Amino acid sequence: MKISVLTLFPEMFGALNSSIVGRAVAGGVLEIDVVDIRKYSKDKHFKCDDYPFGGGAGMVMTPQPIYDAVQCVDPERKCRRIYMSPKGRRFDDSVVRELAIDTRDILILCGHYEGVDQRVLDLCIDEEISIGDYVLTGGELAAMVVIDAVSRFVPGVLGSSQSNRDESISSGRLEYPQYTRPAEFMGLKVPEILLSGHHANVEKWRNEEAERLTKRLRPDLSESIK
Ligand code: ADE
């Protein structure tokens, strides 16, 4: 899968060079193309924002640089084009899976300032996605959340032992607690059952813990699977 991100702050995406996503990109399993919108500005100072018509606070991103960047990245409109915005459809596990199984590559536009000229959204964008009911200073962190979550479903990004655990949230249950060595830390012991080597009992304990945690921390999830 290829994900193109259009942004005024390409340096923010350095975070994706680390960890699992970074390894997937280095291994060629996933392609992430970070595109600097400013390079497409026809303004002599590469300006990409201006005052809003009608007045009001803040600046609005101008349509020309975004339009040209989108045309360059996806000239035949083959990508699923997403604008990160608090007005968008709420991002959750079902949206992650939907994006992951879509055969189209993804183009993500990140806004900044007070937003983006509506005309370029009308012309270029298929859908808006929000990562929650709060307003970030820009779409970049939200885009990274989407990229990270979708990447986990791209074949080859996770090892097989990790991908087995994809079910946790979508099955409507939180994950059971995990422990590793040492068996005792600061006087706290790992639950005895996990040291027993009895796989069926371990499985039973994990199921019960997952159930208990879900009821306590996310009763809404508990209810929704009844
Ligand atoms: N840009 C600013 N706030 C956002 C949010 N909550 N989700 C997605 N993009 C955003």
Side-chain angles (χ1 to χ4, degrees):
M1 173 182 277
K2 179 173 176 184
I3 305 178
S4 305
V5 204
L6 279 56
T7 172
L8 286 174
F9 299 92
E11 66 281 1
M12 287 180 74
F13 290 85
L16 296 178
N17 294 331
S18 309
S19 190
I20 293 172
V21 174
R23 204 163 50 229
V25 171
V29 174
L30 178 70
E31 194 179 339
I32 300 177
D33 184 21
V34 181
V35 177
D36 186 353
I37 295 171
R38 198 172 298 282
K39 292 198 176 139
Y40 291 86
S41 174
K42 289 181 174 149
D43 177 83
K44 62 176 185 291
H45 302 297
F46 296 100
K47 207 165 112 93
C48 291
D49 63 332
D50 215 323
Y51 295 100
F53 279 128
M59 303 291 269
V60 176
M61 285 172 72
T62 54
Q64 177 274 315
I66 296 172
Y67 185 84
D68 287 1
V70 171
Q71 289 306 111
C72 179
V73 168
D74 182 28
E76 295 175 59
R77 204 163 187 142
K78 287 188 168 160
C79 292
R80 186 160 176 167
R81 297 174 171 187
I82 297 166
Y83 173 53
M84 300 312 305
S85 158
K87 291 185 204 156
R89 171 182 175 203
R90 177 71 73 85
F91 191 60
D92 66 9
D93 186 70
S94 71
V95 182
V96 177
R97 286 166 190 268
E98 191 187 306
L99 295 178
I101 61 172
D102 195 318
T103 52
R104 285 175 290 177
D105 287 331
I106 296 176
L107 180 155
I108 303 179
L109 171 64
C110 303
H112 238 271
Y113 314 119
E114 288 308 307
V116 167
D117 187 292
Q118 184 62 39
R119 292 165 296 179
V120 81
L121 299 180
D122 295 343
L123 286 168
C124 297
I125 294 298
D126 299 320
E127 64 200 295
E128 301 192 10
I129 290 181
S130 163
I131 63 160
D133 286 339
Y134 39 80
V135 181
L136 302 167
T137 55
E140 284 76 11
L141 288 171
M144 282 188 260
V145 167
V146 170
I147 293 168
D148 189 284
V150 172
S151 297
R152 296 180 67 254
F153 286 88
V154 173
V157 169
L158 293 185
S160 54
S161 61
Q162 294 163 304
S163 50
N164 287 340
R165 289 174 33 204
D166 282 343
E167 297 310 316
S168 56
I169 264 288
S170 61
S171 66
R173 256 177 29 169
L174 302 181
E175 250 207 307
Y176 50 79
Q178 296 276 19
Y179 298 88
T180 185
R181 281 187 283 195
E184 184 173 336
F185 180 70
M186 306 282 276
L188 298 178
K189 291 187 173 141
V190 169
E192 201 67 43
I193 196 126
L194 299 178
L195 310 175
S196 68
H198 192 298
H199 292 304
N201 284 351
V202 168
E203 196 61 20
K204 183 164 172 284
W205 179 86
R206 285 179 166 168
N207 277 327
E208 287 166 0
E209 283 297 300
E211 201 95 336
R212 196 176 60 78
L213 274 180
T214 310
K215 276 205 183 104
R216 182 156 63 89
L217 301 175
R218 292 292 305 273
D220 55 319
L221 280 182
S222 259
E223 284 305 311
S224 70
I225 55 165
K226 275 187 187 137

